Amino acid sequence: MEILSMFGLRLSLKQRYCLLLCVAVGAILAYRFTRNRPEVVRMKRAEGLRANSSQFTLEGKPFHILGGSIHYFRVPRAYWEDRLLKMKACGLNTLTTYVPWNMHEPERGVFNFEDQLDLEGYLRLAASLGLWVILRPGPYICAEWDLGGLPSWLLRDKNMKLRTTYPGFTDAVNSFFNHLIEKVVPHQYSKGGPIIAVQVENEYGSYAKDDKYMPFIKESLLSRGISELLLTSDNKEGLKLGGVKGALETINFQKFNPKDIKYLDEIQPHKPKMVMEYWSGWFDLWGDLHHVYPAEDMLPVVTEILKLNMSINLYMFHGGTNFGFMSGAFAVGMPAPKAMVTNYDYDAPLSEVGDYTTKYHFLRNVFSQYHAQPLTVLPPHQGRRAYQPVSIQQHLSLWVSLQFTDKAFKSERPVSMENLPVNNNNGQSYGYTLYETTISSDGTLNSKNNIRDRALVYVDKHFVGVLDYKTQELAVPYGKGKRTLSLLVENCGRVNYGKTLDEQRKGLVGDIELNKNPLRDFVIHSLDMKPGFVNRLEGTGHWISLRQQRPSFPGFFQAKLYVNSSPKDTFIKLPGWGKGVVFINGRNLGRYWSVGPQQTLYVPGPWLHRGNNQVIVFEEQETDGRIQFSSSPDYGMSVDVQ
């Protein structure tokens, strides 16, 4: 208490104890506050990552990049630290992440870097855990993500040429980079942050429509203050066209081919060699099998890469989940696009829910040999729980739910979802769009292949059939007088890779014909199922008990999951359902579809709370009225990656 005496304060013994207690409590709170909000220690640094010889250097000393990809936007924020700690415990020293433009700028000029999208928080966390970062800011990222991360409102311009120097695209990129790069710059190595390298675009050699584009992106980064090492990333074929002067070229592959390494050496002699994407697994498509890449096939390749003194980045180290409507579609070598599933497990070393796999333990043994000190202890598993099944209590017809959507739009001709006058004139990005018109005859309905991607067809709310890429004709049954023809069109995910990016408008993209006559005079409803809409549904009194009335389809189905203890991760199973979307406490978990391969949806424990949790399922065609839970995922029948 000498300090108090110095200031001439005379306190009783009781007052002194109270003051000491306050100081102690304050210290504890301060510790907990700072512990939960790691701050980067800013220090002066002389020389960042360099590629001036056959070996990377950092601060002038040889440096081996042992990297792994974990995307902050695919992992619940509450688990960021868990996943990064597990990455470090595997012996990795570098985190790589993409930046999804479509999530950070959902409407033109409206930016979101909060909560789940707090990129700076993610960078600070990486720094606090001693991980370096290679940032891959795009603007195109591929990533099996809708439109490769490009926002759909770009497609409102009928002349749009994505990933080129077309002014409509470069203006939008400049606006986005003005907001993004100013947040990134303070986290560079030279300023005491974790970012040691920045990638220029992504796999442009596989697109290569404009030879001025890569220099434009490079200059866009440099002019805004990016000063760390620049990289590009391409597969073997893409290396021929994907580079840009002043950026180190890196290669992507899964199967080892010495000729690929030799080629990289030839085009870039006396430079460090790096596999920017060593594919640890592969993605899955609806209607296909679940892809696995066995550990015994992967380990020899990783070992060989490291023996050659190459740096490596595992894509993915931890895949996570394509929550919401964010999964893309695949079209290369196919007659029509096939949609990606909701999980992004990728058969990665760390599973979708952060579990250690056989690959993880094998890799930890390999990477431990590149560290002078023993690796950190493995963080514990997160607990999981198979909750008891719950029964659907209430349902709400799609047709009744329309009153909670934006005002319907009338148009003589069909309009694609991107061009609808909704979301502050940014169009509709995701979900379903309902097109209705009046018909007065039966006959043959022909989509003319103008449905993107799949339409449920109704006449006076009675189901007629499905139109998609395969089925383009349906018989319209006989009926008297004028009737309402309804087409509920689902955007199943935009292509994320290949040369058809400019063609990814969804909904009805052209005329639909009945008996070879184009239909006209549509009323169009936007059903993007954003949180505001789901919250309005929850609060309405229009729900009907299943005891009162048999459900109609499509429709929304509501149940309560009661959690009586600390919430744990779980998986939803819907074996008696067909196709739709699940929302829990207003959050969109993603799509499910009985065609598989995926049979479960991941429910993160932090998204649940004690007591009643609201589950809403949008189902297109069938239900058994029960929602089941599992403590482990089911990704369906598997097949080895070829």
Side-chain angles (χ1 to χ4, degrees):
M1 287 296 156
E2 289 81 0
I3 295 173
L4 297 175
S5 301
M6 284 169 57
F7 289 94
L9 296 174
R10 300 281 181 182
L11 300 178
S12 68
L13 191 61
K14 183 176 180 180
Q15 288 173 317
R16 292 185 181 199
Y17 279 128
C18 285
L19 184 61
L20 279 172
L21 183 61
C22 290
V23 170
V25 169
I28 291 168
L29 289 174
Y31 165 72
R32 294 185 67 176
F33 182 83
T34 54
R35 185 190 65 174
N36 292 332
R37 291 165 178 77
E39 289 298 322
V40 180
V41 177
R42 301 293 178 183
M43 52 183 262
K44 189 68 178 173
R45 291 163 172 173
E47 187 176 277
L49 190 68
R50 297 289 184 266
N52 299 328
S53 64
S54 59
Q55 173 79 25
F56 284 115
T57 60
L58 189 65
E59 290 295 342
K61 298 174 183 174
F63 183 72
H64 209 158
I65 298 171
L66 304 176
S69 292
I70 302 179
H71 302 149
Y72 58 99
F73 47 94
R74 279 183 159 125
V75 179
R77 182 169 184 162
Y79 285 150
W80 284 356
E81 184 169 5
D82 173 76
R83 307 309 194 247
L84 295 191
L85 283 170
K86 288 172 178 173
M87 168 183 273
K88 187 166 186 183
C90 193
L92 301 185
N93 58 25
T94 303
L95 164 70
T96 68
T97 185
Y98 285 129
V99 177
W101 181 6
N102 56 356
M103 295 197 78
H104 286 295
E105 193 179 2
E107 297 178 9
R108 189 186 288 269
V110 177
F111 299 94
N112 182 4
F113 289 89
E114 303 296 321
D115 303 321
Q116 185 66 44
L117 296 175
D118 183 3
L119 173 59
E120 289 190 275
Y122 193 58
L123 296 173
R124 281 192 290 268
L125 176 62
S128 73
L129 300 178
L131 289 167
W132 303 118
V133 173
I134 295 176
L135 192 71
R136 310 173 81 186
Y140 163 84
I141 62 173
C142 183
E144 287 71 65
W145 197 250
D146 188 275
L147 201 58
L150 302 175
S152 66
W153 47 258
L154 290 166
L155 296 174
R156 289 175 66 81
D157 178 350
K158 68 180 188 301
N159 300 314
M160 177 55 67
K161 295 178 179 61
L162 300 172
R163 302 181 74 191
T164 70
T165 51
Y166 172 70
F169 186 69
T170 56
D171 288 351
V173 170
N174 281 326
S175 174
F176 174 54
F177 273 12
N178 283 343
H179 285 78
L180 170 65
I181 305 303
E182 73 172 4
K183 294 179 181 297
V184 168
V185 163
H187 300 279
Q188 294 183 101
Y189 181 88
S190 60
K191 298 183 182 297
I195 297 173
I196 56 173
V198 176
Q199 186 174 296
V200 183
E201 231 263 359
N202 187 58
E203 296 180 312
Y204 194 69
S206 301
Y207 198 73
K209 290 189 175 184
D210 183 343
D211 59 10
K212 297 183 179 66
Y213 176 68
M214 286 293 279
F216 159 72
I217 296 296
K218 177 191 159 190
E219 182 55 32
S220 297
L221 297 170
L222 295 177
S223 64
R224 288 169 174 82
I226 294 297
S227 57
E228 305 303 331
L229 181 69
L230 297 180
L231 308 165
T232 61
S233 167
D234 286 285
N235 61 22
K236 162 71 185 313
E237 286 305 306
L239 283 171
K240 296 170 184 174
L241 296 168
V244 62
K245 187 177 180 181
L248 181 75
E249 296 187 58
T250 66
I251 192 169
N252 305 337
F253 61 75
Q254 186 167 67
K255 306 293 173 67
F256 187 83
N257 186 337
K259 291 180 181 176
D260 295 351
I261 309 304
K262 185 169 181 281
Y263 179 73
L264 182 62
D265 218 14
E266 287 170 355
I267 63 170
Q268 207 169 233
H270 313 302
K271 293 286 185 183
K273 290 187 286 295
M274 179 172 181
V275 187
M276 176 56 78
E277 292 186 12
Y278 175 67
W279 301 318
S280 64
W282 204 244
F283 53 82
D284 294 339
L285 306 173
W286 288 116
D288 282 3
L289 299 174
H290 170 53
H291 291 91
V292 295
Y293 182 41
E296 56 268 27
D297 292 344
M298 184 185 82
L299 262 295
V301 182
V302 173
T303 303
E304 186 64 25
I305 290 168
L306 296 174
K307 273 185 185 173
L308 291 172
N309 206 27
M310 296 178 68
S311 284
I312 188 171
N313 175 61
L314 298 166
Y315 187 99
M316 299 292 295
F317 179 75
H318 167 59
T321 311
N322 299 314
F323 293 113
F325 295 120
M326 300 316 299
S327 49
F330 191 68
V332 178
M334 294 182 172
K338 294 193 78 167
M340 311 249 174
V341 302
T342 299
N343 84 75
Y344 199 60
D345 175 80
Y346 210 83
D347 197 34
L350 206 59
S351 77
E352 179 187 15
V353 290
D355 284 350
Y356 302 113
T357 65
T358 302
K359 283 180 186 174
Y360 181 98
H361 294 297
F362 279 174
L363 287 169
R364 180 174 153 92
N365 287 336
V366 171
F367 290 139
S368 67
Q369 300 166 31
Y370 292 81
H371 291 267
Q373 301 297 322
L375 298 180
T376 56
V377 175
L378 293 181
H381 276 283
Q382 298 289 337
R384 292 212 295 274
R385 185 173 169 188
Y387 293 100
Q388 290 300 307
V390 296
S391 296
I392 295 298
Q393 298 165 328
Q394 297 175 305
H395 70 101
L396 183 70
S397 161
L398 168 78
W399 318 105
V400 174
S401 77
L402 296 178
Q403 62 189 289
F404 303 108
T405 64
D406 286 341
K407 185 179 177 182
F409 171 62
K410 294 182 179 180
S411 173
E412 182 188 1
R413 296 170 180 269
V415 177
S416 72
M417 63 193 296
E418 294 81 5
N419 283 295
L420 293 175
V422 295
N423 297 318
N424 300 314
N425 274 330
N426 285 274
Q428 182 184 341
S429 295
Y430 313 106
Y432 294 76
T433 311
L434 180 67
Y435 297 81
E436 295 191 313
T437 187
T438 302
I439 58 172
S440 52
S441 69
D442 57 330
T444 301
L445 190 67
N446 191 321
S447 73
K448 308 296 288 183
N449 198 25
N450 283 324
I451 285 173
R452 302 286 184 275
D453 297 294
R454 184 174 178 275
L456 301 176
V457 183
Y458 302 85
V459 175
D460 282 347
K461 300 177 185 174
H462 291 101
F463 180 64
V464 175
V466 175
L467 291 172
D468 55 21
Y469 292 105
K470 288 182 180 177
T471 305
Q472 297 183 23
E473 284 191 355
L474 278 180
V476 175
Y478 172 77
K480 292 181 179 178
K482 292 186 175 180
R483 295 175 294 164
T484 300
L485 175 74
S486 306
L487 295 98
L488 181 64
V489 184
E490 180 192 5
N491 165 8
C492 295
R494 295 182 183 85
V495 163
N496 56 274
Y497 179 82
K499 303 210 175 186
T500 61
L501 295 180
D502 295 340
E503 303 160 24
Q504 295 307 304
R505 293 171 186 86
K506 298 294 183 177
L508 295 187
V509 297
D511 283 335
I512 305 296
E513 293 181 353
L514 179 60
N515 301 327
K516 299 189 177 179
N517 295 312
L519 295 171
R520 292 289 180 260
D521 299 323
F522 288 89
V523 176
I524 307 173
H525 300 266
S526 171
L527 276 154
D528 49 15
M529 301 190 190
K530 293 200 291 192
F533 168 77
V534 177
N535 291 337
R536 288 194 294 275
L537 283 190
E538 281 188 28
T540 180
H542 290 77
W543 292 91
I544 298 173
S545 167
L546 286 179
R547 288 192 291 262
Q548 294 175 265
Q549 185 186 93
R550 288 187 63 186
S552 65
F553 297 93
F556 295 88
F557 297 82
Q558 188 174 179
K560 294 276 197 299
L561 169 64
Y562 184 77
V563 177
N564 61 3
S565 58
S566 179
K568 304 290 186 190
D569 286 359
T570 190
F571 293 88
I572 280 181
K573 290 198 302 183
L574 298 162
W577 303 62
K579 186 179 194 306
V581 190
V582 180
F583 304 86
I584 196 147
N585 295 328
R587 292 181 184 263
N588 187 334
L589 296 181
R591 305 176 179 95
Y592 65 90
W593 196 358
S594 59
V595 301
Q598 178 174 352
Q599 300 296 330
T600 52
L601 282 177
Y602 174 43
V603 184
W607 292 4
L608 299 172
H609 49 247
R610 283 178 184 256
N612 281 324
N613 292 267
Q614 182 90 310
V615 185
I616 292 180
V617 182
F618 174 71
E619 165 59 44
E620 295 181 4
Q621 290 183 283
E622 62 177 328
T623 175
D624 66 358
R626 276 164 39 101
I627 297 172
Q628 300 181 38
F629 297 89
S630 171
S631 59
S632 57
D634 180 355
Y635 299 135
M637 191 179 296
S638 63
V639 62
D640 284 359
V641 177
Q642 297 302 312

